[in-house]
Amino acid sequence: MIKTRRISAARLALLGLCLTALPLGAVGAQSLRLVSGAPLTLPARITATQNDSLIPLAKVVTELSTLSTDDLSGDNFFKPGDTAYVFVSRSQNVVYPFAVLRRIPDAPSEAQDTVMIRAKVVSVTDNVLSLSYNFDTVSPPRAFITETDRAPLAPVKLTLAVSEDGRASVSTFHVGNKRFNQRVISKGVVPGRNMTMASIAPPT
C-alpha cells in the first residue's frame, strides 16, 4: 500500500512562492544581462521580416557581416566554421572594426572604447570573411517590424549588450528617431513550470 503524505498549508504556500520565484528570477537575470553588457550601437539593414507568425522574426545585416583581413590587424588563414573574435572601437561615437583574431588573446585590451564580439566564419573568399553572429536573426517587438515596413528608408540601428567573452545580444532596436527595447519573454516547458529566454530568434 502506498502511503500518502499530508503537506501543511504553510508548506504549500512556501512551495508556491519558490516556484514563482524561479521564473521571475530568471527573467530578472536575463534583463540584467541585456543591460549589463558593454553597449555597442551598429548601423544595420533589415533583409527580411516576418510579423504575421507566432514569433516575429527579422534578419539583420551589419557592417561586421563581411570583413577583409587585409584591412584589419590580427590573424589570417581563417576557414569556414572557425570562431573569429572581432575587435571594434567605439571611440568618439565612431564605430569601426580594427582587428580579427582566431582566439581570445592572453592579455585582452582593457581600453574602455574597445569591444570584442564573437563570430562564426561562414565563408572565406580572397581574404574576405563572411561572418555570422547570434544577432543576425532576432525576434524583435512587432512594433519594430511594423515601423520598418512603414518607413523602409529610415535608418536602422541595433544596440548590442556584449558580454566579456564576446557574446552579443540586442538590447534596443532603433528606426529613425524611434527606439524599441528588446523583449524578455517566458517560455512554458511543462504545466506548472516555466523557463525564461531572451527573444532571440531560433536558428533557421
Side-chain angles (χ1 to χ4, degrees):
M1 177 181 295
I2 299 177
K3 295 182 178 180
T4 59
R5 290 187 176 183
R6 293 184 178 179
I7 303 177
S8 68
R11 288 187 177 181
L12 283 175
L14 180 60
L15 179 61
L17 287 174
C18 291
L19 291 176
T20 302
L22 288 175
L24 290 178
V27 168
Q30 178 62 27
S31 299
L32 179 62
R33 184 176 67 82
L34 289 177
V35 300
S36 63
L40 178 67
T41 300
L42 297 175
R45 180 167 55 90
I46 305 300
T47 60
T49 60
Q50 180 176 310
N51 205 20
D52 56 355
S53 59
L54 180 62
I55 299 176
L57 296 175
K59 291 193 175 184
V60 178
V61 173
T62 72
E63 295 180 354
L64 302 182
S65 299
T66 304
L67 297 175
S68 172
T69 57
D70 293 337
D71 301 330
L72 304 173
S73 301
D75 296 327
N76 205 332
F77 308 111
F78 285 92
K79 63 182 184 298
D82 284 349
T83 297
Y85 296 93
V86 180
F87 288 79
V88 178
S89 173
R90 50 180 181 171
S91 176
Q92 299 179 350
N93 295 324
V94 177
V95 175
Y96 61 91
F98 64 89
V100 59
L101 300 175
R102 296 169 63 185
R103 57 183 58 85
I104 299 177
D106 294 334
S109 173
E110 296 183 358
Q112 294 297 314
D113 61 353
T114 297
V115 177
M116 179 189 74
I117 306 179
R118 181 192 298 259
K120 185 70 69 176
V121 178
V122 176
S123 63
V124 184
T125 305
D126 296 330
N127 294 332
V128 175
L129 306 179
S130 176
L131 301 172
S132 67
Y133 301 85
N134 67 338
F135 52 84
D136 290 345
T137 303
V138 292
S139 176
R142 292 187 187 277
F144 166 77
I145 296 180
T146 300
E147 186 64 22
T148 59
D149 291 340
R150 189 188 68 81
L153 299 182
V156 174
K157 294 182 180 180
L158 305 179
T159 297
L160 308 175
V162 186
S163 63
E164 290 185 358
D165 66 355
R167 300 183 187 277
S169 299
V170 180
S171 61
T172 311
F173 300 86
H174 308 262
V175 183
N177 294 324
K178 298 182 179 181
R179 59 178 287 166
F180 303 87
N181 293 330
Q182 178 62 296
R183 303 167 301 135
V184 178
I185 60 178
S186 177
K187 177 183 179 182
V189 182
V190 295
R193 297 191 63 181
N194 290 293
M195 62 178 291
T196 57
M197 53 181 288
S199 51
I200 298 175
T204 57

